[in-house]
Amino acid sequence: MDGLNEARLFHREQRSKYLRGTRLHWAHWCVVFLSIILTISAWYISDQQVHQRSQEKFTRESGQVIEFVRERMALYENALWGGVAFMDANDGNVTYDDWFSYASSLRIEKVFPGINGLGVIYNLEASELEAFLEQQREAQPNFALHPQHSQPEYWPITYIEPEGPNKRAVGLDVAFEASRYSAINKARDSGKAQITAPIALVQDAMDTPGFLFYTPFYRNGAKPGSLSERHREIVGVTYAPFTMYRLMEGILDRRKRQVLVKIADQDQPLFDDIVNAREEEINQDPDPMFQHRAEVEIYGRSWTFDIETDLSFRESVANSQPVFILIGGLVIDGLLFGFFVYLTQGNRRALSYAEELTVALDSLKEQSVRLEKSNADLEQFTYVASHDLKAPLNSIKQIVGWLEEDCQEVLPEESKKHLELLHTRCTRMMKLLTDLLEYARVDRREYSDEPIILKDLTRDILFLLGVEDRFTCEVPEDPILIPRSVFDVVLRNLISNAIKHHHDDHGKIVIRSEIGENGRFFYVEDDGPGIPDDLHAKALEMFQTLKPRDQVEGSGMGLALVKKLLEYHGGYLSLETGRKAGTCIVIFWPRI
């Protein structure tokens, strides 16, 4: 009666244990939660890298826009200073024909795209005006100054090439208007190139924004050092008129960029892609991805550049990789959760089946049969769990690989180390699951003896491990009769273990074989650091390594797997004690 009560008590305890197995454990939820965190982290990192690459591209394009404007304006400045050099070479006395010949030689329209012309403006006192007009009318009979103004000096546009499209500007006295007059005085006073505030050119029928570009020249080619000298020695300026939209067409081809540009001078609009471009070229993005404003000093004026991305930029940087990573990760998370649910349902089925057996069986013997069946079912579940976990784990490993490949150039070094650590942990988990499967299948197979040559077998093992050029193996050449497949697993694990735990990148392994009374002994000896005697028992346990996981890769199952294989065949494994260096593993294989 006491035995029956003990059996019933044991049954109730086992049933309570299995009932707990029919519910999702906190560990299951932790795994699912961490997997979701990993998915979201991978998606976030990928999305941030895509965003960063897009921002870097925009920064390059916006910087190029400003740099192109600077470079082109410098080119025009060089042309104007070339005109100053021409004037200096002729002591400032250049005729209409002289300037025509010089300007024609420059091929202005081809060499300086976007410029309206290249001309000369002389500075005159009131006493010099009549003589100047008589001199100019010899080559230009209709030459006259316009419009009238109240300034004490005159700055008439004397020559301009090409003259045809700029004819209305010939004779224009730029002292009549504040912006033109202020800029030309600044050029004279500083001796440097200067542009005007936004103006409408008299030769531009559309009255679009433009400006004048001045460079001063002085008597006898001098470069006066003081303000009073510059006032006294000024002869005039070479100048170039610009309409802003023509200038920008010459600098920035709308078809070759993916940003829209606005330029203003102290809130006065100079250029706007949306206003000046043809309708089919605008391609404006209602919600630009990036915008940038820059204040740039341009020859005495401050230009404000407002740059934003257009639709073609959005299309060029579109990248669906973060979405794929997110969807793929969530699918894997769902599969992992479903797998855990499947396991709990399997436990429910096992429990239900066990209860049915309990009802049918009353005796202790029948309960023993039920328990054996339940243990077998749990062992099967362990096998299925180890096998099926490899698929989602492999997918996680692939995602980590994709992140390493796509973000190699932009990830910080610390993030690269984290990804490398995650990759290493996934590899270790795959190795653990593989060893678990091998461990679970040990007593499910039948093996038969066959002749093998140890030397050939060890040579193949070293080749597969990729260490044949660093590790040597001394082994007898005589053939032996033994189950090849299982002995290959035993020998491969022992050799791999010796190499992984070796303190050098090269070494020597010696294998000896002796025939005993009831079987054969094998001795696998290495010249590594050895295992202390007090750690021999720990080394033979499952999931145990004598060094940290990040120093030695492995599942910790190598010797445990070998031990189980030997025990299944009636043999055993032991470690030789009392050694000062190196490790010697002794295995006994019984005679069948």
Side-chain angles (χ1 to χ4, degrees), residues 184-461:
I184 208 168
N185 282 332
K186 287 182 180 179
R188 175 196 62 193
D189 295 347
S190 65
K192 298 179 180 179
Q194 178 75 35
I195 64 172
T196 68
I199 60 172
L201 303 181
V202 295
Q203 59 267 46
D204 182 12
M206 299 175 62
D207 288 337
T208 57
F211 62 92
L212 301 182
F213 200 170
Y214 303 125
T215 51
F217 58 93
Y218 302 88
R219 285 186 180 86
N220 301 318
K223 304 297 178 187
S226 66
L227 180 62
S228 60
E229 287 179 327
R230 293 189 187 110
H231 275 258
R232 185 173 63 251
E233 301 297 330
I234 187 68
V235 175
V237 299
T238 56
Y239 95 107
F242 294 89
T243 50
M244 196 64 183
Y245 79 90
R246 283 193 61 193
L247 172 66
M248 296 304 291
E249 282 180 351
I251 299 175
L252 303 173
D253 189 341
R254 182 67 190 91
R255 294 166 297 180
K256 296 181 181 179
R257 53 189 168 93
Q258 297 176 325
V259 293
L260 297 175
V261 181
K262 289 182 182 178
I263 303 176
D265 182 326
Q266 297 181 358
D267 296 328
Q268 296 184 64
L270 276 170
F271 175 79
D272 188 339
D273 262 329
I274 299 174
V275 174
N276 295 109
R278 291 187 293 271
E279 185 175 352
E280 65 272 13
E281 295 179 345
I282 293 176
N283 204 21
Q284 184 180 14
D285 189 343
D287 182 22
M289 293 183 64
F290 302 102
Q291 294 176 310
H292 176 64
R293 168 171 284 195
E295 299 286 338
V296 181
E297 292 297 320
I298 304 288
Y299 298 103
R301 304 296 301 178
S302 179
W303 283 5
T304 302
F305 287 75
D306 287 300
I307 305 171
E308 65 181 41
T309 57
D310 63 10
L311 289 175
S312 63
F313 182 93
R314 182 181 294 275
E315 294 168 0
S316 70
V317 300
N319 193 325
S320 56
Q321 176 184 312
V323 176
F324 287 150
I325 290 176
L326 180 61
I327 293 175
L330 291 178
V331 169
I332 293 172
D333 296 340
L335 291 174
L336 189 62
F337 179 75
F339 179 71
F340 288 150
V341 172
Y342 167 76
L343 288 179
T344 58
Q345 289 177 347
N347 286 339
R348 289 193 187 97
R349 290 193 296 269
L351 182 60
S352 177
Y353 184 62
E355 288 178 343
E356 290 177 4
L357 288 178
T358 303
V359 172
L361 303 175
D362 297 323
S363 67
L364 186 59
K365 180 179 179 180
E366 291 172 337
Q367 287 192 17
S368 177
V369 172
R370 179 186 64 78
L371 289 174
E372 290 178 1
K373 177 63 177 175
S374 296
N375 287 335
D377 287 343
L378 289 176
E379 184 178 355
Q380 177 64 23
F381 286 139
T382 300
Y383 173 79
V384 171
S386 299
H387 183 274
D388 291 355
L389 269 174
K390 293 180 75 175
L393 188 61
N394 191 50
S395 299
I396 293 173
K397 186 177 178 183
Q398 287 180 346
I399 290 176
V400 174
W402 295 340
L403 282 175
E404 286 179 332
E405 292 176 1
D406 294 342
C407 305
Q408 185 68 25
E409 298 298 327
V410 293
L411 276 176
E413 288 301 319
E414 188 172 353
S415 298
K416 291 180 182 178
K417 292 179 181 177
H418 291 167
L419 287 177
E420 182 181 355
L421 182 60
L422 183 57
H423 187 278
T424 302
R425 297 289 168 82
C426 287
T427 303
R428 182 186 303 148
M429 191 64 181
M430 290 290 290
K431 181 69 169 61
L432 176 60
L433 292 176
T434 300
D435 289 347
L436 276 172
L437 289 173
E438 192 68 30
Y439 190 85
R441 287 198 293 258
V442 166
D443 55 358
R444 296 170 182 265
R445 297 179 178 176
E446 295 295 331
Y447 304 93
S448 58
D449 287 346
E450 57 182 295
I452 64 171
I453 298 177
L454 280 177
K455 188 170 186 178
D456 294 340
L457 184 61
T458 55
R459 184 175 60 248
D460 292 341
I461 291 173

Side-chain angles (χ1 to χ4, degrees), residues 90-245:
N90 291 276
D91 295 328
N93 297 317
V94 174
T95 66
Y96 175 86
D97 292 333
D98 292 337
W99 187 256
F100 174 79
S101 298
Y102 171 73
S104 298
S105 69
L106 295 179
R107 297 181 299 147
I108 294 173
E109 294 181 348
K110 290 185 178 180
V111 178
F112 305 101
I115 198 170
N116 284 32
L118 195 63
V120 178
I121 301 175
Y122 281 104
N123 177 242
L124 303 172
E125 300 293 336
S127 60
E128 302 172 315
L129 182 59
E130 288 300 326
F132 175 79
L133 291 175
E134 288 181 9
Q135 180 185 1
Q136 295 304 319
R137 285 170 182 165
E138 292 178 3
Q140 304 177 79
N142 297 322
F143 185 86
L145 269 61
H146 62 90
Q148 293 184 353
H149 58 78
S150 58
Q151 299 298 337
E153 60 182 344
Y154 303 92
W155 293 88
I157 297 175
T158 308
Y159 309 131
I160 179 71
E161 291 296 336
E163 184 178 343
N166 295 292
K167 195 164 186 64
R168 294 185 62 185
V170 176
L172 180 72
D173 189 345
V174 297
F176 86 97
E177 189 265 327
S179 293
R180 293 173 171 85
Y181 189 44
S182 173
I184 208 168
N185 282 332
K186 287 182 180 179
R188 175 196 62 193
D189 295 347
S190 65
K192 298 179 180 179
Q194 178 75 35
I195 64 172
T196 68
I199 60 172
L201 303 181
V202 295
Q203 59 267 46
D204 182 12
M206 299 175 62
D207 288 337
T208 57
F211 62 92
L212 301 182
F213 200 170
Y214 303 125
T215 51
F217 58 93
Y218 302 88
R219 285 186 180 86
N220 301 318
K223 304 297 178 187
S226 66
L227 180 62
S228 60
E229 287 179 327
R230 293 189 187 110
H231 275 258
R232 185 173 63 251
E233 301 297 330
I234 187 68
V235 175
V237 299
T238 56
Y239 95 107
F242 294 89
T243 50
M244 196 64 183
Y245 79 90

Side-chain angles (χ1 to χ4, degrees), residues 478-497:
D478 54 308
I480 61 173
L481 197 64
I482 203 166
R484 180 184 181 88
S485 58
V486 66
F487 192 72
D488 179 87
V489 173
V490 170
L491 205 56
R492 177 159 35 87
N493 273 278
L494 294 179
I495 293 176
S496 174
N497 219 48

Side-chain angles (χ1 to χ4, degrees), residues 15-40:
R15 187 176 185 278
S16 176
K17 177 180 177 181
Y18 291 140
L19 276 173
R20 290 195 296 271
T22 62
R23 298 185 294 270
L24 286 176
H25 194 261
W26 64 267
H28 298 146
W29 290 110
C30 284
V31 171
V32 172
F33 177 74
L34 290 175
S35 181
I36 292 174
I37 293 297
L38 177 63
T39 297
I40 294 175

